[in-house]
Amino acid sequence: MDYLSTVTENLNQTTFYLLLSVIVLLVVIIILYKTYMASRKVHAQMAEYSSLSKDEFGAKLQLIEVHANEHKLNKKALGPLGKIIDEYCVTTTDNNGVITFANQKYVQLCGYPADEIIGRNISLLKSNHHDAEFWQNLWAKLSQQKVWHGEICNSKKDGTHYWTDTFIFPLPLLSDHGQGYISLSTDITAIKKQNDKLLNLVKEKDAAINKVESLLLHSEKMASLGTMSSGIAHEINNPIAFVASNIDTFNEYLCQFAATIIQARKTLGEAAFEKLLAEINEPAVDSDDINFALDDFSSMVEETRDGINRIRKIVSDLKCFSHEKQEGYAPVDLHKCIETSLNLARNEIKYKAEVVRDFDESIPLLEGSETQLSQVFINLLVNAAHAIDDQGQITIRTKKLENEVSIAISDNGSGIKPETLKTIFEPFFTTKPVGQGTGLGLSISHDIIQRHGGTIKVDSEIGRGTTFTINLPISQQGE
């Protein structure tokens, strides 16, 4: 029995070692096979590269990269070139800019297969972002055998752009047997997009700040203008009052003189009257001068009265423009206020336009100054009538919103030019001919609506007409 046990044990050990030897042999065969296949792949890739480029330095880089990839070598162990290929997007070109090598990192970044860029000029990857001066400066530095560093925006195969932070070295600085250039790039596309986004935000903030500063400056100017307008109005009002009074008295005097001259001519007769005129040496007058003066003085007085009335209107508008005291508000029937304004502006409208009303009868009484709101509506209605050349239509629409009401006054007149819309609410700005407008109507209207806590805006199209839209709160909040 002991003999059989020993034989069996020896057989088991022999079988074990035999199996172990077979397994080791298989492992060796597999390793050798993989090494053989990897070598064949290396040779195939090198052969493929050789068909694309004969550049010696590019072939060296290709060999390093292929061996490192296929044999799972540590690229850092391959020296500086191995580290460079591992960490950067690398391309090499000859002196004419023809690409002689591109590592896998760069191939993946640009979206072109290696066989579509190797042997092609680097201009294939250019985008339209950089101007001619940028490329001239780049090549000028490289031609002096100096290193160039900067950010380049190139174009992928699908047309999208990508950014790289790039160093370009003349190859003689790195290799004794290499001509051309080597580019070491880092993809910074995501960083550039983030920076662009931040820059746009900064620009938007700057624009908003500038707008606020402009509004503040404009507000200060308007406040100064209001103070100045108030002073001017008071200074002009007093002399205009006595000038108007004197014109009326002067007209009475002239009428008396005219009646006296006419009566004297009848009493003396024409011959005696002419003789009397001949005796007047200074100033010398004749019958024609007298006749002209008698015919002309009444129209001159009337023109003077019109001028004085116009000055009074300007003074009145200036006072309203500079008025700062808040009037006590009371419930206002909006539709009644509009009808009152239509009656007051009737002479300006009746020969020019048909008025169409589209009123929302659910609008309640709102807090405000009926006098001031009527002034706004009159200004807008008169402007609408003046914008219509022959015969047109003015439409007034009201609508109740949640906590406010909307009033739209539209005309189908000539419209307002886009460049004019920007300044339409500024004081003294007018598109009317000289003598037909003070340029304060819309500015005063804008001020009144703001005092009521509302807004006023204008939309216009040349040849189609203009719409002024006013939004007013139903009840005033706070002071």
Side-chain angles (χ1 to χ4, degrees), residues 248-288:
D248 291 337
T249 305
F250 182 59
N251 185 48
E252 292 177 5
Y253 293 163
L254 287 177
C255 289
Q256 292 173 4
F257 290 151
T260 301
I261 292 171
I262 293 170
Q263 186 60 43
R265 176 179 281 182
K266 289 180 180 180
T267 302
L268 295 173
E270 196 64 34
F273 187 73
E274 290 288 346
K275 183 180 179 181
L276 178 62
L277 292 178
E279 293 175 357
I280 301 174
N281 295 322
E282 285 196 21
V285 294
D286 57 23
S287 182
D288 291 338

Side-chain angles (χ1 to χ4, degrees), residues 220-460:
E220 291 178 2
K221 287 181 178 179
M222 291 300 100
S224 300
L225 186 58
T227 303
M228 183 179 68
S229 299
S230 178
I232 291 174
H234 285 295
E235 290 297 324
I236 293 177
N237 204 36
N238 291 332
I240 282 298
F242 67 73
V243 169
S245 176
N246 289 348
I247 284 295
D248 291 337
T249 305
F250 182 59
N251 185 48
E252 292 177 5
Y253 293 163
L254 287 177
C255 289
Q256 292 173 4
F257 290 151
T260 301
I261 292 171
I262 293 170
Q263 186 60 43
R265 176 179 281 182
K266 289 180 180 180
T267 302
L268 295 173
E270 196 64 34
F273 187 73
E274 290 288 346
K275 183 180 179 181
L276 178 62
L277 292 178
E279 293 175 357
I280 301 174
N281 295 322
E282 285 196 21
V285 294
D286 57 23
S287 182
D288 291 338
D289 293 335
I290 294 296
N291 292 334
F292 180 80
L294 291 175
D295 291 337
D296 193 46
F297 85 87
S298 59
S299 61
M300 289 183 64
V301 170
E302 193 60 34
E303 287 177 1
T304 305
R305 279 176 174 165
D306 289 343
I308 290 172
N309 289 334
R310 175 165 164 71
I311 294 173
R312 279 177 165 170
K313 177 67 169 61
I314 293 173
V315 170
S316 175
D317 286 347
L318 284 171
K319 282 184 174 181
C320 186
F321 175 70
S322 61
H323 180 65
E324 294 183 357
K325 185 178 179 181
Q326 183 75 13
E327 295 183 11
Y329 287 168
V332 176
D333 185 330
L334 182 64
H335 294 153
K336 180 182 176 183
C337 183
I338 292 173
E339 293 294 347
T340 300
S341 303
L342 283 167
N343 286 333
L344 292 172
R346 183 171 178 272
N347 287 333
E348 296 285 348
I349 298 173
K350 63 181 179 179
Y351 300 114
K352 300 292 290 291
E354 172 194 5
V355 177
V356 177
R357 299 165 176 82
D358 182 8
F359 290 168
D360 183 351
E361 299 300 334
S362 67
I363 292 177
L365 298 178
L366 56 91
E367 282 186 72
S369 167
E370 185 171 355
T371 303
Q372 291 184 8
L373 292 177
S374 292
Q375 184 178 2
V376 172
F377 298 143
I378 290 170
N379 284 336
L380 297 182
L381 290 167
V382 169
N383 283 347
H386 287 173
I388 298 171
D389 294 329
D390 298 318
Q391 188 69 25
Q393 180 176 290
I394 297 174
T395 304
I396 307 172
R397 292 186 176 88
T398 62
K399 185 177 181 181
K400 182 181 181 300
L401 305 177
E402 186 174 355
N403 296 314
E404 58 185 12
V405 296
S406 173
I407 308 103
I409 299 178
S410 306
D411 66 72
N412 58 353
S414 56
I416 304 171
K417 295 178 181 178
E419 59 269 23
T420 302
L421 287 175
K422 299 176 182 179
T423 54
I424 197 169
F425 293 113
E426 290 187 2
F428 306 109
F429 178 83
T430 180
T431 58
K432 296 176 182 177
V434 176
Q436 294 188 18
T438 63
L440 289 171
L442 288 177
S443 178
I444 292 170
S445 300
H446 185 269
D447 184 54
I448 290 173
I449 296 302
Q450 280 195 325
R451 290 181 187 179
H452 280 74
T455 60
I456 179 171
K457 66 176 184 177
V458 57
D459 295 298
S460 186

